[in-house]
Amino acid sequence: KPNIVFFFVDDMGYGDASCLNPEGKIKTPNIDRLAAEGMAFTDAHSSSAVCSPSRYSVLTALQLAITLQKGIVGPYGDSLIAEDRLTVPAFLKQHGYHSACIG
């Protein structure tokens, strides 16, 4: 099975990784190597301008604005994801993957 590495980065633009912008000011050799040895998706869009709905979408493959009609989560707030909702990490676990969130 292929490894899946998903970077969810605040304030990083399309041209900030040197594999996508060789003329950029910051060199990113490790990201460049991952892109060269794997896949780089270059046409992705955020589901929201704020973090909670965007993270919800990444974890559930659903749009928060459509499914729950709620805003953002405050510090140490309750999860927006229902306990019975299948998440992407849980789906991957059912297929033999292990997942981690670092950040």
Side-chain angles (χ1 to χ4, degrees), residues 18-98:
S18 53
C19 59
L20 301 174
N21 180 14
E23 305 304 318
K25 294 180 182 180
I26 301 170
K27 299 302 175 196
T28 55
N30 294 319
I31 293 173
D32 299 351
R33 193 178 101 237
L34 287 169
E37 294 176 5
M39 296 177 129
F41 295 93
T42 59
D43 190 15
H45 304 273
S46 175
S47 62
S48 177
V50 292
C51 58
S52 297
S54 295
R55 291 179 180 146
Y56 179 91
S57 294
V58 167
L59 291 171
T60 65
L62 300 169
Q63 289 187 17
L64 178 65
I66 293 172
T67 57
L68 290 178
Q69 301 294 325
K70 291 187 181 178
I72 64 171
V73 175
Y76 307 105
D78 293 332
S79 175
L80 295 175
I81 302 173
E83 289 187 29
D84 62 342
R85 174 143 344 255
L86 180 65
T87 62
V88 172
F91 174 82
L92 291 172
K93 184 176 183 178
Q94 291 174 354
H95 292 85
Y97 280 88
H98 300 277

Side-chain angles (χ1 to χ4, degrees), residues 5-18:
V5 179
F6 185 85
F7 290 93
F8 196 69
V9 183
D10 289 340
D11 299 322
M12 183 176 180
Y14 176 85
D16 290 342
S18 53

